[in-house]
Amino acid sequence: MFRAVYKLKQEAGVESFMNYVTFNEQSMVFTLRTEHTMYQMQVRQFGILCHLYYGPFLGEDELDYRIIELDRGFSPNPYEADRDRTISLDILPQEYSGYGNGDYRVCAAEVDFQDGSAALDLRYQGYEVLKGKYKLPGMPAMFGDDTQAETLEIRLADEYSGANAVLMFGIFPKLDLITRAVRFENLGDRSYRLRKVMSAQLDFLDGPFELIHFHGRHTMERMPERLPLMHGMARFGSRRGTSSHQHNPFAILCRPDTTEERGLCYGLSLVYSGNFLFEAEVDQMNQVRVMMGIHPAHFWQEVQCGDVFYTPEIIMGCSEDGLTGLSHLFHDGMRQNLMRGKYVFSPRPVLINNWEATYFTFDEEKIFSIAEKALDLGVDLFVLDDGWFGKRDSDFSGLGDWTVNEEKIRGGLKNLSERIRSLGLKLGLWIEPEMVSEDSNLYREHPDWCLRVPGRLPVRGRYQLNLDITRQEVRDHVMEQIISLIEECHISYIKWDMNRSLGNVYSSVLIPQKQGEVFHRYVLALYEMQESLITRFPDLLFENCSGGGGRFDAGMLYYSPQIWCSDNTDAVDRLRIQYGTSFGYPITSMGAHVSAVPNHQTGRSVSIRTRSVVASCGTYGFELDPEKMTKEEMQEARKGLEEYKATENLRLCGDFYRLSNPFMNQDFCLWQFVSKEKKETLVEGVILRHQANSPVFYVYLRGLKADARYQRTDTGRVYSGAALMKAGLPLPLELGEYQPVRMIFREIP
Ligand code: DGJ
């Protein structure tokens, strides 16, 4: 029995859209095109939506010939196949797999019904092509108008239950990106529970693939690790309520021969800031199934009749130009169609933050004198970090009381703000709105406002508890205090911190059947708070943070153009952290500060010039006490900032190249920015190994015009682009550990 296939509300004149989505009614093949990539699916027998291809653009070919249907032992057949044993969901590459239907591989969605059954058999119903990019209510997602993006929605349904899964594809032809999300609708007459609901699945007919993922820990985030996918499963994710320091929701799949410069690779970036899971399975036929989405651990979602549930979005990119080409897709896509606000492409105020200068021990005079002295560094903004509010003399107390601590800031914050602003500086403020200390007025008044499992003692993290921000009254209370502070004290910048993983995940206002929704509701509540903040204060420079880089994800970048990259400010460690982060995220999204030496996290000392060069590979700032700096250090620091400023546009708008891998190359760590027109380039980095009678090391530039002539600005020497790229450039051999490198080249006629 073949199901009727119908088009859903397909508008007349689909041809007049950008036509990056086509559907061949004879072969039932959907083709999604971007400038250099192509994605193909086919509705096959019994309405099974199969994945045919995702990869480099191939032209008009339809790739259904790639699927070979054979009788495979122990791979069952749909009932409709009758005596045909060649069709099996266990073997067919699918767009979005269900469960309990003969497919024994890892599945995209699992559904439980009230009768105790658990099955989902999704078959094709129809499609719709829409102008512009779809939106996800209450969730971050790439945006795009009719000239930038097109949407394809494909409706799948489980006939028995009425559970509908609408697969949403956002096609960004110029960016070479495709986004995906799924909308679950309950159009049946029985409620169900989603136990697993991934955002996207990619079934490849053949491997081999290698996986690059980004693991880490507090102060050492996003360390790349590359491993071959083997038969069976590879999985990583977070169950901490945040995307986490430990694993980042960005992954790369590549061929074993893919390098920085060349080779096929795919990137998957989950636009979500909570629990997530990445899974890759190599099956019995060497096929590879990959998926990512909300982590099913501690998750379920009740879907009553008529309810709709949206998954978060995944951004997918494919490049044949190696890992650099892939990074460029994500850098450009995020900068152009994910990150918002006036600062994405424009110079950011350079800040000085007092955290490592004072920790909790300061008063208003100390703060003012840091700000005053920082004027000599050339900064634009002073950020008052943790410790200015409530009874916040240490991390034991105060969170939740967002009123100034008048014992420390005598005269109040408004007064201090006036004094700092009278210096010509803007004022920024640290907050941690999602938390409460037990020793706080908020907790004493509302002990029930935190997440807490009934009858059990809470798990503390940094002595603090998580507020139950899924509750409207909790959100309102916190946001009211923060909004009035911003208004009264003329705050220009906010650092939104989050210093523990979620624990005790139970909301006292939800019925037991909905407790599986708390993790996700928490993330939605966070998004609502941040959206209201940036909507109310569009000129605010907003920086997210979670103990450094514990929530460094594409979801957060929808709200803030920069994220504090790591609590580790050591320049040498930062080389590796920023290198790892650069694979999936724009360089200017990484908050990077020049801090004092010996470094507080590692005890290492490197020159201020080296610290400055490393901070330049991010959004520049200071985090030290300028009163403790020598005159020479102040001069060097100011010079470093001026050099950063002189090339800021290149960093904000240009292309980024990793010239060496600090995990493999013990001698140097270098990177390069190239302007989009390839008229200017900047090479920066650090010589890692100091040795006597050193051999000469050569760096090979990238991304230039081979036949153009480039003049090096400090020496005046002229080189062809070809020479810089193919013959390389000797690196300076100065004595001393961790010498910085900075070279600028400009095209000359
Ligand atoms: C963690 C942040 O990453 C630091 O920069 C600092 O703001 C502290 N929290 C303050 O508690």
Side-chain angles (χ1 to χ4, degrees), residues 218 353 355 360 385-386 392 395 430 432 462 495 497-499 545-549 564 566-567 623:
H218 179 227
N353 176 304
W355 177 242
F360 291 111
D385 209 278
D386 196 353
R392 188 71 169 167
D395 47 15
W430 176 98
E432 194 177 0
R462 205 194 186 192
K495 175 177 172 188
D497 205 347
M498 202 271 192
N499 282 301
C545 170
S546 174
W564 182 224
S566 177
D567 272 349
E623 181 147 344

Side-chain angles (χ1 to χ4, degrees), residues 645-705:
K645 280 271 166 201
T647 47
E648 193 175 4
N649 203 40
L650 203 51
R651 302 166 196 282
L652 282 162
C653 308
D655 290 331
F656 179 77
Y657 292 82
R658 293 172 290 270
L659 298 182
S660 63
N661 175 348
F663 293 86
M664 311 279 278
N665 184 331
Q666 308 295 319
D667 298 313
F668 55 84
C669 175
L670 295 173
W671 58 88
Q672 184 191 357
F673 292 92
V674 183
S675 65
K676 287 282 179 194
E677 327 70 54
K678 302 180 188 298
K679 285 176 184 290
E680 192 181 9
T681 187
L682 163 70
V683 178
E684 281 178 334
V686 179
I687 307 292
L688 295 175
R689 191 151 54 174
H690 176 61
Q691 39 182 329
N693 196 16
S694 173
V696 179
F697 298 112
Y698 294 84
V699 58
Y700 294 82
L701 274 57
R702 298 182 58 200
L704 303 178
K705 292 183 272 188

Side-chain angles (χ1 to χ4, degrees), residues 224-239:
E225 187 168 68
R226 182 167 174 165
L227 49 130
L229 289 182
M230 315 287 274
H231 286 96
M233 296 284 297
R235 319 166 90 215
F236 65 87
S238 166
R239 288 180 292 178

Side-chain angles (χ1 to χ4, degrees), residues 214-491:
F214 301 86
H215 69 99
R217 56 187 185 272
H218 179 227
T219 68
M220 220 56 207
E221 298 89 342
R222 291 169 298 285
M223 304 284 108
E225 187 168 68
R226 182 167 174 165
L227 49 130
L229 289 182
M230 315 287 274
H231 286 96
M233 296 284 297
R235 319 166 90 215
F236 65 87
S238 166
R239 288 180 292 178
R240 296 168 176 271
T242 57
S243 45
S244 88
H245 303 84
Q246 287 73 12
H247 292 283
N248 193 265
F250 175 68
I252 297 174
L253 284 182
C254 61
R255 295 297 190 200
D257 60 356
T258 298
T259 63
E260 272 289 356
E261 288 90 1
R262 57 191 66 87
L264 181 65
C265 46
Y266 299 85
L268 296 168
S269 183
L270 185 66
V271 190
Y272 192 60
S273 313
N275 290 348
F276 76 94
L277 178 65
F278 171 95
E279 294 180 295
E281 179 174 7
V282 181
D283 73 12
Q284 54 177 335
M285 297 299 157
N286 304 337
Q287 304 181 117
V288 182
R289 172 171 285 182
V290 175
M291 57 183 66
M292 187 144 60
I294 293 177
H295 203 305
H298 317 295
F299 168 85
W300 71 77
Q301 177 74 37
E302 295 292 316
V303 188
Q304 309 289 338
C305 300
D307 279 0
V308 175
F309 176 80
Y310 286 84
T311 70
E313 170 163 298
I314 284 187
I315 307 172
M316 304 190 308
C318 167
S319 169
E320 273 190 297
D321 299 329
L323 303 173
T324 302
L326 191 70
S327 292
H328 288 176
L329 299 182
F330 282 91
H331 292 184
D332 287 343
M334 287 182 182
R335 287 186 292 191
Q336 290 175 30
N337 289 78
L338 177 72
M339 295 154 74
R340 300 175 294 169
K342 69 176 192 180
Y343 285 115
V344 177
F345 284 107
S346 64
R348 318 251 171 99
V350 172
L351 62 85
I352 182 160
N353 176 304
N354 72 303
W355 177 242
E356 288 196 9
T358 63
Y359 296 103
F360 291 111
T361 312
F362 58 80
D363 60 16
E364 80 289 351
E365 287 312 327
K366 180 64 194 170
I367 294 300
F368 184 74
S369 60
I370 294 177
E372 199 172 30
K373 188 79 181 160
L375 284 176
D376 294 339
L377 293 172
V379 303
D380 309 299
L381 171 75
F382 179 87
V383 178
L384 182 54
D385 209 278
D386 196 353
W388 59 266
F389 53 90
K391 193 182 143 201
R392 188 71 169 167
D393 299 321
S394 70
D395 47 15
F396 286 127
S397 56
L399 291 171
D401 297 339
W402 300 108
T403 48
V404 71
N405 179 333
E406 296 246 12
E407 281 170 31
K408 283 165 116 174
I409 313 278
R410 285 161 298 207
L413 194 56
K414 202 169 163 204
N415 181 43
L416 181 63
S417 168
E418 271 161 28
R419 289 179 70 198
I420 288 177
R421 288 183 297 113
S422 73
L423 295 171
L425 295 177
K426 295 171 189 292
L427 179 64
L429 209 57
W430 176 98
I431 52 174
E432 194 177 0
E434 303 157 63
M435 299 292 160
V436 65
S437 307
E438 285 158 274
D439 186 0
S440 69
N441 293 334
L442 180 67
Y443 188 78
R444 280 182 282 275
E445 279 162 35
H446 300 285
D448 61 319
W449 275 14
C450 56
L451 294 174
R452 190 158 201 166
V453 180
R456 294 181 190 270
L457 291 173
V459 178
R460 294 192 182 113
R462 205 194 186 192
Y463 315 113
Q464 60 202 48
L465 303 179
N466 305 101
L467 279 178
D468 183 0
I469 58 167
T470 70
R471 294 171 66 168
Q472 182 77 50
E473 68 273 37
V474 177
R475 293 201 292 278
D476 289 349
H477 175 84
V478 176
M479 291 310 287
E480 272 161 27
Q481 292 182 75
I482 288 164
I483 285 167
S484 63
L485 271 167
I486 294 174
E487 282 172 348
E488 273 170 31
C489 303
H490 301 276
I491 303 299

Side-chain angles (χ1 to χ4, degrees), residues 186-205:
N186 187 345
L187 302 184
D189 53 9
R190 68 195 83 192
S191 61
Y192 59 82
R193 178 178 277 193
L194 282 169
R195 253 195 305 125
K196 179 180 184 186
V197 56
M198 302 304 261
S199 296
Q201 168 181 325
L202 265 180
D203 271 10
F204 294 94
L205 281 165

